[in-house]
Amino acid sequence: MLILGGTSEARALAGSLPGFAVITSLAGRTSSPLLPAGEVRIGGFGGADGLAAFVQTQNIDVLVDATHPFAATISANAAQAATRTGVPLIVLRRPGWTEQPGDQWHRVRDLGEAAALLTSDRLGLSAVRPETKPRVFLTTGRQGIAAFAGVDAWFLARSVEPPEPPMPRDLEVLLDRGPFTLDGERRLLADHHIDVLVTKDSGGPDAKLAAARERGLPVVMVNRPPAAATAHTVTTVAEATECLTGLLR
């Protein structure tokens, strides 16, 4: 089995599958990734063609896409490779977040729309800080920071690895890896006087959303890219394990 990984769900799945020889593939975007059980390969495949060739040469029986919900390119390549090779594809994707009472979410299609929303003042940020720049907490990953390079605001960006230019002029980078606690997120928002949170609908632990809700902060929520319609999708490791056990039988 080949798992396209990089998520906590992928690591859990790789360690819970007796009966399968598991290869987990990581994109290689972080210098010190958390490694799963079993064989690990790091780096790209060379598009859908390269992935299909790997599936065939390595005699892969089942392909699992357990990548980040926003890893649209590799997910599309996985769907194409599965179609070309006839290998079953299972997508393991954690559910997205659901708006709760008290939330002030503003959903956008992509990071460009998120940046435009910050500059439009539809969030009312000028009323919060009429004489200074709004203070924005970015949790979009280091590759998403460039989209905000032209926004006149102060940014706190949290990522596992340092970002690369272009970047906003007023930027503080916090290098950290989750999961994060609610108390920790409360302190972070308070200590940095955050006015608005910008994040992706990644699902999973939502301490930062709960902390923003408590403080009455607006949240700019970037929607997920559409999933491949041809794949069998599950939302938990247990569901994936059950599905894969059925294939093994």
Side-chain angles (χ1 to χ4, degrees):
M1 177 173 59
L2 174 62
I3 299 176
L4 306 177
T7 60
S8 59
E9 291 85 1
R11 292 190 295 273
L13 183 64
S16 65
L17 292 169
F20 279 97
V22 178
I23 303 172
T24 299
S25 177
L26 304 178
R29 293 199 176 100
T30 58
S31 57
S32 301
L34 299 176
L35 298 179
E39 182 180 345
V40 177
R41 71 173 300 279
I42 296 179
F45 292 94
D49 291 340
L51 179 54
F54 183 89
V55 167
Q56 291 175 323
T57 58
Q58 298 297 316
N59 298 316
I60 300 299
D61 295 305
V62 60
L63 178 61
V64 178
D65 175 9
T67 57
H68 191 276
F70 284 82
T73 299
I74 186 61
S75 292
N77 289 344
Q80 293 180 44
T83 299
R84 294 176 189 179
T85 60
V87 168
L89 171 64
I90 297 173
V91 175
L92 171 55
R93 194 75 77 235
R94 70 184 72 150
W97 288 312
T98 302
E99 197 166 356
Q100 303 295 320
D103 283 332
Q104 302 178 42
W105 289 6
H106 302 263
R107 286 195 173 271
V108 294
R109 290 177 295 181
D110 52 35
L111 293 173
E113 279 196 4
L117 184 59
L118 291 178
T119 60
S120 71
D121 200 37
R122 283 182 288 163
L123 301 175
L125 298 179
S126 62
V128 176
R129 297 189 182 275
E131 298 179 358
T132 59
K133 296 179 180 180
R135 300 176 68 83
V136 183
F137 182 28
L138 280 181
T139 63
T140 57
R142 68 186 179 100
Q143 292 181 311
I145 294 174
F148 302 88
V151 177
D152 187 23
W154 181 90
F155 290 93
L156 173 67
R158 183 167 63 196
S159 61
V160 176
E161 300 278 338
E164 298 179 354
M167 296 181 288
R169 181 185 308 173
D170 295 321
L171 173 68
E172 179 178 334
V173 177
L174 176 62
L175 298 180
D176 206 353
R177 190 197 302 265
F180 303 102
T181 66
L182 179 56
D183 284 342
E185 299 294 69
R186 286 168 173 159
R187 288 194 299 271
L188 185 147
L189 296 180
D191 291 348
H192 291 87
H193 308 286
I194 297 300
D195 299 316
V196 58
L197 166 66
V198 180
T199 191
K200 293 178 176 179
D201 188 5
S202 302
D206 64 347
K208 61 179 176 287
L209 297 176
R213 184 185 311 123
E214 290 179 354
R215 294 181 65 85
L217 299 182
V219 175
V220 180
M221 183 70 67
V222 181
N223 288 332
R224 296 181 176 190
T230 56
H232 178 69
T233 301
V234 295
T235 59
T236 67
V237 173
E239 288 179 324
T241 302
E242 181 180 358
C243 185
L244 290 164
T245 301
L247 286 176
L248 185 63
R249 287 197 298 265

Coordinates of all heavy atoms in Angstrom, one line a residue, residues 180-220:
F180 N -2.1 22.5 19.6 CA -2.0 23.7 20.5 C -3.2 23.6 21.5 O -4.3 23.2 21.1 CB -2.1 25.0 19.7 CG -1.0 25.1 18.7 CD1 -1.2 24.8 17.3 CD2 0.3 25.4 19.0 CE1 -0.2 24.9 16.4 CE2 1.3 25.5 18.1 CZ 1.1 25.2 16.8
T181 N -3.0 24.1 22.7 CA -4.0 24.0 23.7 C -4.8 25.3 23.7 O -4.4 26.4 23.2 CB -3.4 23.9 25.1 OG1 -2.6 25.1 25.4 CG2 -2.4 22.7 25.1
L182 N -6.0 25.2 24.2 CA -6.9 26.4 24.3 C -6.3 27.5 25.2 O -6.3 28.7 24.8 CB -8.3 26.0 24.8 CG -9.3 27.1 25.0 CD1 -9.5 27.8 23.7 CD2 -10.6 26.5 25.5
D183 N -5.7 27.1 26.3 CA -5.1 28.1 27.1 C -3.9 28.8 26.4 O -3.7 30.0 26.5 CB -4.6 27.5 28.4 CG -5.7 27.2 29.4 OD1 -6.8 27.8 29.3 OD2 -5.5 26.4 30.3
G184 N -3.2 28.0 25.7 CA -2.1 28.6 24.9 C -2.5 29.6 23.8 O -1.9 30.6 23.6
E185 N -3.6 29.2 23.1 CA -4.1 30.1 22.1 C -4.8 31.3 22.7 O -4.7 32.4 22.1 CB -5.2 29.3 21.3 CG -4.7 28.1 20.6 CD -3.6 28.4 19.5 OE1 -2.5 28.8 19.8 OE2 -4.0 28.2 18.3
R186 N -5.4 31.2 23.8 CA -5.9 32.4 24.5 C -4.8 33.4 24.8 O -4.9 34.6 24.6 CB -6.6 32.0 25.8 CG -7.9 31.3 25.7 CD -8.3 30.7 27.0 NE -9.7 30.1 27.0 CZ -10.1 29.2 27.8 NH1 -9.3 28.7 28.8 NH2 -11.4 28.8 27.8
R187 N -3.7 32.9 25.4 CA -2.6 33.7 25.7 C -2.0 34.4 24.5 O -1.6 35.6 24.5 CB -1.5 32.9 26.5 CG -1.9 32.6 27.9 CD -0.6 32.1 28.7 NE -0.1 30.9 28.1 CZ -0.4 29.7 28.4 NH1 -1.4 29.4 29.3 NH2 0.1 28.6 27.8
L188 N -1.8 33.6 23.4 CA -1.2 34.1 22.2 C -2.1 35.3 21.7 O -1.5 36.4 21.3 CB -1.1 33.0 21.2 CG -0.4 33.3 19.9 CD1 0.3 32.1 19.4 CD2 -1.4 33.8 18.8
L189 N -3.4 35.1 21.6 CA -4.3 36.2 21.0 C -4.2 37.4 21.9 O -4.2 38.6 21.4 CB -5.7 35.7 20.9 CG -5.9 34.5 19.9 CD1 -7.4 34.2 19.9 CD2 -5.5 34.9 18.5
A190 N -4.2 37.2 23.2 CA -4.1 38.3 24.2 C -2.8 39.0 24.1 O -2.7 40.3 24.1 CB -4.5 37.9 25.6
D191 N -1.7 38.3 24.2 CA -0.4 38.9 24.3 C 0.0 39.7 23.0 O 0.7 40.7 23.1 CB 0.7 37.8 24.5 CG 0.6 37.2 25.9 OD1 -0.1 37.7 26.8 OD2 1.2 36.1 26.1
H192 N -0.5 39.2 21.9 CA -0.2 39.9 20.6 C -1.3 40.9 20.2 O -1.3 41.4 19.1 CB 0.1 38.9 19.5 CG 1.3 38.1 19.7 ND1 1.4 37.0 20.5 CD2 2.6 38.4 19.3 CE1 2.7 36.5 20.5 NE2 3.4 37.3 19.8
H193 N -2.4 41.0 21.0 CA -3.5 42.0 20.7 C -4.0 41.7 19.3 O -4.2 42.7 18.5 CB -3.0 43.4 20.8 CG -2.3 43.7 22.1 ND1 -2.9 43.8 23.3 CD2 -0.9 43.8 22.4 CE1 -2.1 44.0 24.3 NE2 -0.8 44.1 23.8
I194 N -4.4 40.5 19.0 CA -4.8 40.1 17.7 C -6.3 40.6 17.5 O -7.1 40.5 18.3 CB -4.8 38.6 17.5 CG1 -3.4 38.0 17.7 CG2 -5.4 38.1 16.2 CD1 -2.4 38.6 16.6
D195 N -6.5 41.1 16.2 CA -7.8 41.7 15.9 C -8.6 40.7 15.0 O -9.8 40.7 14.9 CB -7.6 43.0 15.1 CG -7.0 44.1 15.9 OD1 -7.3 44.2 17.1 OD2 -6.1 44.7 15.4
V196 N -7.9 39.9 14.2 CA -8.5 39.0 13.3 C -7.7 37.7 13.0 O -6.4 37.8 13.0 CB -8.8 39.7 11.9 CG1 -7.6 40.2 11.3 CG2 -9.6 38.8 10.9
L197 N -8.3 36.6 12.9 CA -7.6 35.3 12.6 C -7.9 35.0 11.1 O -9.0 35.0 10.7 CB -8.1 34.2 13.5 CG -7.8 32.8 13.1 CD1 -6.3 32.5 13.2 CD2 -8.6 31.8 14.1
V198 N -6.8 34.6 10.4 CA -7.0 34.1 9.0 C -6.4 32.7 9.0 O -5.3 32.4 9.4 CB -6.2 34.9 8.0 CG1 -6.4 34.4 6.6 CG2 -6.6 36.4 8.1
T199 N -7.3 31.7 8.6 CA -6.9 30.3 8.6 C -7.5 29.6 7.5 O -8.4 30.1 6.8 CB -7.3 29.7 10.0 OG1 -6.7 28.4 10.1 CG2 -8.8 29.5 10.1
K200 N -7.1 28.3 7.3 CA -7.7 27.4 6.3 C -8.6 26.4 7.0 O -8.3 26.0 8.1 CB -6.6 26.7 5.5 CG -5.7 27.5 4.6 CD -4.6 26.7 4.0 CE -3.8 27.5 3.0 NZ -2.7 26.6 2.4
D201 N -9.6 26.0 6.3 CA -10.5 25.0 6.9 C -9.9 23.6 6.8 O -10.3 22.7 6.1 CB -11.9 25.0 6.1 CG -12.9 24.2 6.8 OD1 -12.7 23.7 7.9 OD2 -14.0 24.0 6.2
S202 N -8.9 23.4 7.7 CA -8.2 22.2 7.7 C -8.8 21.1 8.5 O -8.5 19.9 8.3 CB -6.8 22.4 8.3 OG -6.1 23.4 7.5
G203 N -9.7 21.4 9.4 CA -10.3 20.5 10.3 C -9.4 20.1 11.4 O -8.3 20.6 11.5
G204 N -9.8 19.1 12.2 CA -9.0 18.7 13.3 C -9.1 19.6 14.6 O -10.1 20.3 14.7
P205 N -8.1 19.6 15.5 CA -8.2 20.4 16.7 C -8.5 21.9 16.3 O -7.9 22.4 15.4 CB -6.8 20.2 17.3 CG -6.3 18.9 16.8 CD -6.9 18.8 15.4
D206 N -9.4 22.5 17.1 CA -9.8 23.9 16.8 C -9.6 24.9 17.9 O -10.4 25.8 18.1 CB -11.3 23.9 16.3 CG -12.2 23.4 17.5 OD1 -11.7 22.9 18.5 OD2 -13.4 23.6 17.3
A207 N -8.5 24.7 18.7 CA -8.3 25.6 19.9 C -8.3 27.1 19.5 O -8.8 27.9 20.1 CB -7.0 25.2 20.6
K208 N -7.6 27.4 18.3 CA -7.5 28.8 17.9 C -8.9 29.3 17.6 O -9.2 30.5 17.9 CB -6.6 28.9 16.8 CG -7.0 28.2 15.5 CD -6.0 28.4 14.4 CE -6.3 27.6 13.1 NZ -6.0 26.2 13.4
L209 N -9.8 28.5 17.0 CA -11.1 29.0 16.7 C -11.9 29.2 18.0 O -12.7 30.2 18.1 CB -11.8 28.0 15.8 CG -11.2 27.7 14.4 CD1 -12.0 26.6 13.7 CD2 -11.2 29.0 13.6
A210 N -11.8 28.3 18.9 CA -12.5 28.5 20.2 C -12.0 29.8 20.9 O -12.8 30.5 21.5 CB -12.3 27.3 21.1
A211 N -10.7 30.0 20.9 CA -10.1 31.2 21.5 C -10.6 32.5 20.8 O -10.9 33.5 21.5 CB -8.6 31.1 21.5
A212 N -10.7 32.4 19.5 CA -11.2 33.6 18.7 C -12.6 33.8 19.0 O -13.1 35.0 19.2 CB -11.0 33.4 17.2
R213 N -13.4 32.8 19.2 CA -14.8 32.9 19.5 C -15.0 33.6 20.9 O -15.9 34.5 21.0 CB -15.5 31.5 19.5 CG -17.0 31.5 19.8 CD -17.5 30.1 19.9 NE -17.0 29.2 18.8 CZ -16.3 28.1 18.9 NH1 -16.0 27.6 20.1 NH2 -15.9 27.4 17.8
E214 N -14.2 33.2 21.8 CA -14.3 33.8 23.2 C -14.0 35.2 23.2 O -14.6 36.0 23.9 CB -13.3 33.0 24.1 CG -13.7 31.6 24.5 CD -12.7 31.0 25.4 OE1 -11.7 31.6 25.7 OE2 -13.0 29.8 25.8
R215 N -13.1 35.7 22.3 CA -12.7 37.1 22.3 C -13.6 37.9 21.3 O -13.4 39.1 21.2 CB -11.2 37.2 21.9 CG -10.3 36.7 22.9 CD -8.8 36.8 22.5 NE -8.4 38.2 22.4 CZ -8.0 39.0 23.4 NH1 -7.9 38.4 24.6 NH2 -7.7 40.2 23.2
G216 N -14.5 37.2 20.6 CA -15.3 37.9 19.7 C -14.6 38.4 18.4 O -15.0 39.4 17.8
L217 N -13.6 37.6 18.0 CA -12.8 38.1 16.9 C -13.4 37.5 15.6 O -13.8 36.4 15.5 CB -11.3 37.6 17.0 CG -10.5 38.0 18.2 CD1 -9.1 37.5 18.1 CD2 -10.5 39.5 18.3
P218 N -13.3 38.3 14.5 CA -13.7 37.8 13.2 C -12.6 36.8 12.7 O -11.4 36.9 13.0 CB -13.7 39.0 12.3 CG -12.8 40.0 13.0 CD -12.9 39.8 14.4
V219 N -13.1 35.8 12.0 CA -12.2 34.8 11.4 C -12.4 34.7 9.9 O -13.6 34.6 9.4 CB -12.5 33.4 12.0 CG1 -11.7 32.3 11.3 CG2 -12.3 33.4 13.5
V220 N -11.3 34.9 9.2 CA -11.4 34.7 7.7 C -11.0 33.2 7.4 O -9.9 32.8 7.7 CB -10.4 35.6 7.0 CG1 -10.5 35.4 5.5 CG2 -10.7 37.1 7.3

